[in-house]
């Protein structure tokens, strides 16, 4: 994305669409009226994500690889991105914690303690309630150390442990 210029300029420079089409697209992504003339350097992270998505979408790429494409976005914009991806003609590789994207893919690979591959339309297996309860029992019976933002291990105070065990 260019560092200078307006949001409208950025979209026009990276696509073969007319200004009217670009303004209509920008309006669908919540850039109304004069907001399309906002300088990129003044745009919020969410606004930059929206314009970057539009630039990618209209880049004629055969494959889009999107890492957490809905971060920094409001619900209305997420819905617009999902609608656009539903009709995208190329391939998609989506890395996301947002499970609503599962319906957009033919195959979902879930990474966790184990790796699961779900084919299109395949439901995730039901939750094993007994295993979940066993895990919770194990977690609450062992002493805990919490980590702050800097990664420092902080023992849980005895009073806090007592409160949690009740």
């Amino acid at each position: 994305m260019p560092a200078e210029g307006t949001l409208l300029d950025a979209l026009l420079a990276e696509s073969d669409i007319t200004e009217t089409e670009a303004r209509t697209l920008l309006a669908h992504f919540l850039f109304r009226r004069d907001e399309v003339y906002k300088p990129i350097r003044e745009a919020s992270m969410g606004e930059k994500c929206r314009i970057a998505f539009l630039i990618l979408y209209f880049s004629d790429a055969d494959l889009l690889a999107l890492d957490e494409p809905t971060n920094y976005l409001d619900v209305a914009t997420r819905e617009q991105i999902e609608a656009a991806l539903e009709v995208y003609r190329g391939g998609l590789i989506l890395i996301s914690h947002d499970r609503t994207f599962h319906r957009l893919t033919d195959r979902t690979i879930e990474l966790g303690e184990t790796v699961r591959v779900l084919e299109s339309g395949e439901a995730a297996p039901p939750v094993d309630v007994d295993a979940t309860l066993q895990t919770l029992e194990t977690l609450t019976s062992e002493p805990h150390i919490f980590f702050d933002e800097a990664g420092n291990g902080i023992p849980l105070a005895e009073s806090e442990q007592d409160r949690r065990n009740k």
Side-chain angles (χ1 to χ4, degrees):
M1 181 162 36
E4 294 299 319
T6 67
L7 300 171
L8 179 60
D9 294 337
L11 183 56
L12 288 172
E14 300 294 330
S15 65
D16 293 331
I17 59 178
T18 67
E19 183 173 334
T20 301
E21 291 169 328
R23 288 181 63 100
T24 300
L25 285 168
L26 289 166
H28 281 286
F29 280 80
L30 307 178
F31 295 109
R32 308 275 200 247
R33 297 189 175 102
D34 289 342
E35 291 175 354
V36 301
Y37 299 112
K38 180 184 245 183
I40 291 174
R41 68 181 176 281
E42 293 177 12
S44 70
M45 183 58 76
E47 291 168 330
K48 288 178 182 176
C49 287
R50 286 186 278 165
I51 195 70
F53 175 79
L54 284 170
I55 289 169
L56 280 173
Y57 191 85
F58 288 98
S59 68
D60 291 328
D62 292 325
L63 175 69
L64 291 182
L66 304 173
D67 184 4
E68 297 291 355
T70 57
N71 281 4
Y72 307 107
L73 301 178
D74 55 82
V75 173
T77 304
R78 287 179 188 186
E79 290 172 353
Q80 289 295 338
I81 286 179
E82 289 171 25
L85 292 176
E86 269 187 288
V87 295
Y88 183 70
R89 291 187 213 130
L92 294 173
I93 296 175
L94 301 170
I95 301 165
S96 181
H97 290 89
D98 187 345
R99 291 183 179 266
T100 60
F101 280 123
H102 287 202
R103 66 181 176 73
L104 300 175
T105 61
D106 293 328
R107 182 175 298 131
T108 299
I109 302 171
E110 289 186 355
L111 303 176
E113 286 185 31
T114 61
V115 176
R116 292 186 329 166
V117 178
L118 300 172
E119 299 297 328
S120 181
E122 183 179 346
V127 174
D128 184 340
V129 176
D130 291 331
T132 302
L133 290 173
Q134 180 61 41
T135 301
L136 289 171
E137 179 65 32
T138 301
L139 289 173
T140 56
S141 66
E142 297 175 1
H144 296 284
I145 296 178
F146 289 94
F147 294 90
D148 64 15
E149 293 85 11
N152 301 314
I154 302 170
L156 189 60
E158 285 184 32
S159 61
E160 183 67 13
Q161 283 180 339
D162 290 341
R163 186 184 67 76
R164 287 187 174 271
N165 289 331
K166 290 181 181 179

